C-alpha cells in the first residue's frame, strides 16, 4: 500500500459521489463552486478529484496549473480522449498556486484548449454521449467525491457529464441569463434522460447553488426578484445560503486559488462551506 499522501488513492471500494457542476449558460459560477467545495471537502479529510472539461482551463488554474498545455509532461483530459493515457493516469495532485505545494486530499484532471474539438474527436464513436460514463469507473472507489466542472453549454461534454454523474448541481446567479440557463439545462436533462435513463442517469437537477447574489434589495430589485423566482421554482433543491457578492471571489480567481483556500473566513468561503455541509459532502 502506498505511503505517499499525494499519490493517486488506491481503489478501496469506497462509495464515490460524482457531482456534475453545470448550467446551460457560461459565467454561472460552476468553476468557483466546484473548486471551493472541492477544497472545503478535502480540508475536512475527504478524498476529492475535480475533473475539468472546459477549454478555458479555469478550474485547472484554481487548482495550481496555470497552463496545462504549456507542459508536455502534464497529462490532460484530452490526452485521455486521445488514448495517450488512461483517466487514472491523468490524475495529478492539486497545488497551492502561492506555494507550489500539493494540497492534501485534493487531485485534479487537467483541461486543455484542445477540448474545443471534443465533438469532432468523438464523432466516430458509437453512443458517443457515453464517453465519460465509460471512463469514470477508473476513478470510482478511489475518491469520496469526484466533481465534474462542465463548460458553459449543454453540448457533448456536458451531456456526457449529465449521463455519468450521480448528482446534478445546477449553478446560477441572481441574473436572468444564468437563471434561464437552468431552464435550458432542465430541457436537456429531460431530452437525454429519455435515451439514457435506463442506465441510471438522473431525471432532474439535484441541487441548485446561487452564487454572486445581491446583498439586499437596494442593490437591484430585478436581481432580488430573480433570486426569489429561482427559490420558488426549485424549492428545497436550492441550498442555503446564497453566496453573496464578495470581492474575495475575483481576488481568489486572480490569485489562482479556490476562495475557500484563499480566505477561509470571507463571506463567500463561509457560505460555500455551509453549502457543502448541507449537501452532506462532510460534517
Amino acid at each position: 500500500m502506498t505511503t505517499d499522501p499525494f499519490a493517486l488513492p488506491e481503489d478501496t471500494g469506497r462509495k464515490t459521489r460524482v457531482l456534475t457542476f453545470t448550467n446551460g449558460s457560461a459565467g454561472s459560477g460552476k468553476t468557483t463552486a466546484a473548486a471551493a467545495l472541492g477544497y472545503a471537502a478535502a480540508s475536512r479529510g475527504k478524498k476529492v478529484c475535480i475533473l475539468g472539461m472546459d477549454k478555458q482551463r479555469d478550474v485547472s488554474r484554481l487548482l495550481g496549473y496555470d497552463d496545462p498545455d504549456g507542459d508536455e509532461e502534464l497529462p490532460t483530459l484530452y490526452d485521455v480522449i486521445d488514448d495517450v493515457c488512461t483517466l487514472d493516469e491523468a490524475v495529478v495532485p492539486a497545488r497551492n498556486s502561492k506555494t507550489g505545494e500539493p494540497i492534501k486530499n485534493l487531485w485534479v484532471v487537467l483541461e486543455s484548449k484542445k477540448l474545443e474539438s471534443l465533438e469532432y474527436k468523438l464523432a466516430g464513436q458509437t453512443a458517443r454521449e457515453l464517453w465519460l460514463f465509460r471512463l469514470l469507473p477508473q476513478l470510482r472507489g478511489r475518491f469520496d467525491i469526484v466533481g465534474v466542472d462542465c463548460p458553459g453549454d449543454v453540448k457533448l461534454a456536458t451531456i456526457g457529464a449529465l449521463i455519468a454523474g450521480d448528482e446534478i448541481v445546477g449553478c446560477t446567479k441572481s441574473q436572468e441569463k444564468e437563471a434561464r440557463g437552468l431552464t435550458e439545462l432542465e430541457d436537456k436533462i429531460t431530452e437525454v434522460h429519455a435515451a439514457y435513463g435506463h442506465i441510471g442517469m438522473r431525471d432532474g437537477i439535484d441541487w441548485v447553488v446561487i452564487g454572486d447574489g445581491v446583498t439586499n434589495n437596494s442593490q437591484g430589485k430585478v436581481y432580488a426578484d430573480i433570486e426569489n423566482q429561482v427559490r420558488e421554482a426549485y424549492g428545497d433543491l436550492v441550498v442555503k445560503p446564497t453566496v453573496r457578492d464578495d470581492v474575495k471571489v475575483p481576488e481568489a480567481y486572480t490569485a489562482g486559488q479556490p476562495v475557500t483556500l484563499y480566505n477561509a473566513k470571507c463571506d463567500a468561503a463561509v457560505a460555500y462551506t455551509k453549502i457543502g455541509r448541507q449537501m452532506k459532502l462532510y460534517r
Side-chain angles (χ1 to χ4, degrees), residues 28-71:
S28 59
K30 302 178 301 297
T31 299
T32 299
L37 292 172
Y39 178 80
S43 66
R44 287 161 177 77
K46 300 297 183 180
K47 294 193 180 298
V48 181
C49 180
I50 303 298
L51 191 154
M53 296 203 306
D54 197 332
K55 65 181 180 180
Q56 301 297 332
R57 299 161 295 161
D58 285 338
V59 83
S60 299
R61 184 173 184 277
L62 290 177
L63 298 181
Y65 297 86
D66 190 56
D67 182 18
D69 290 308
D71 186 343

Side-chain angles (χ1 to χ4, degrees), residues 108-145:
V108 59
V109 177
L110 299 171
E111 299 148 301
S112 168
K113 291 182 290 186
K114 297 177 183 177
L115 287 170
E116 65 183 349
S117 64
L118 178 67
E119 299 206 19
Y120 172 78
K121 185 69 179 177
L122 297 177
Q125 284 196 9
T126 302
R128 61 179 186 157
E129 294 84 2
L130 294 175
W131 71 274
L132 188 58
F133 182 86
R134 297 184 182 112
L135 292 172
L136 274 180
Q138 298 177 42
L139 302 186
R140 290 188 182 274
R142 299 179 184 273
F143 298 98
D144 297 297
I145 301 163

Side-chain angles (χ1 to χ4, degrees), residues 223-274:
Y223 298 132
D225 286 346
I226 290 173
E227 179 179 328
N228 290 335
Q229 289 170 16
V230 170
R231 291 193 174 278
E232 289 174 5
Y234 294 97
D236 292 341
L237 300 183
V238 183
V239 290
K240 298 178 180 178
T242 293
V243 183
R244 299 299 176 188
D245 186 20
D246 187 341
V247 70
K248 296 301 179 184
V249 173
E251 284 184 8
Y253 177 81
T254 300
Q257 294 183 334
V259 68
T260 41
L261 168 62
Y262 179 72
N263 187 328
K265 295 182 179 180
C266 74
D267 290 346
V270 170
Y272 277 119
T273 300
K274 291 179 179 178

Side-chain angles (χ1 to χ4, degrees), residues 15-245:
K15 178 176 174 56
T16 301
R17 291 174 65 181
V18 179
L19 307 178
T20 299
F21 293 84
T22 184
N23 185 298
S25 172
S28 59
K30 302 178 301 297
T31 299
T32 299
L37 292 172
Y39 178 80
S43 66
R44 287 161 177 77
K46 300 297 183 180
K47 294 193 180 298
V48 181
C49 180
I50 303 298
L51 191 154
M53 296 203 306
D54 197 332
K55 65 181 180 180
Q56 301 297 332
R57 299 161 295 161
D58 285 338
V59 83
S60 299
R61 184 173 184 277
L62 290 177
L63 298 181
Y65 297 86
D66 190 56
D67 182 18
D69 290 308
D71 186 343
E72 294 183 356
E73 298 300 316
L74 284 175
T76 69
L77 179 60
Y78 190 84
D79 291 325
V80 178
I81 296 166
D82 204 26
D83 292 327
V84 174
C85 63
T86 60
L87 182 58
D88 55 346
E89 291 172 341
V91 176
V92 296
R95 302 189 303 203
N96 184 323
S97 61
K98 182 177 180 180
T99 66
E101 294 297 316
I103 299 173
K104 187 176 180 181
N105 295 323
L106 186 58
W107 289 262
V108 59
V109 177
L110 299 171
E111 299 148 301
S112 168
K113 291 182 290 186
K114 297 177 183 177
L115 287 170
E116 65 183 349
S117 64
L118 178 67
E119 299 206 19
Y120 172 78
K121 185 69 179 177
L122 297 177
Q125 284 196 9
T126 302
R128 61 179 186 157
E129 294 84 2
L130 294 175
W131 71 274
L132 188 58
F133 182 86
R134 297 184 182 112
L135 292 172
L136 274 180
Q138 298 177 42
L139 302 186
R140 290 188 182 274
R142 299 179 184 273
F143 298 98
D144 297 297
I145 301 163
V146 173
V148 183
D149 181 34
C150 295
D153 56 44
V154 284
K155 297 180 181 179
L156 184 58
T158 298
I159 291 171
L162 293 175
I163 295 170
D166 301 319
E167 300 165 51
I168 299 172
V169 184
C171 301
T172 188
K173 295 181 179 179
S174 302
Q175 298 179 32
E176 183 176 4
K177 178 174 74 74
E178 289 78 14
R180 288 171 63 89
L182 282 183
T183 301
E184 181 181 350
L185 173 64
E186 283 191 295
D187 291 343
K188 181 57 68 172
I189 290 172
T190 299
E191 175 188 332
V192 180
H193 180 265
Y196 292 103
H198 67 285
I199 61 173
M201 179 194 165
R202 305 295 295 162
D203 61 358
I205 296 172
D206 295 277
W207 310 96
V208 175
V209 176
I210 304 176
D212 201 19
V214 296
T215 303
N216 52 60
N217 282 357
S218 65
Q219 288 182 287
K221 186 177 185 305
V222 172
Y223 298 132
D225 286 346
I226 290 173
E227 179 179 328
N228 290 335
Q229 289 170 16
V230 170
R231 291 193 174 278
E232 289 174 5
Y234 294 97
D236 292 341
L237 300 183
V238 183
V239 290
K240 298 178 180 178
T242 293
V243 183
R244 299 299 176 188
D245 186 20

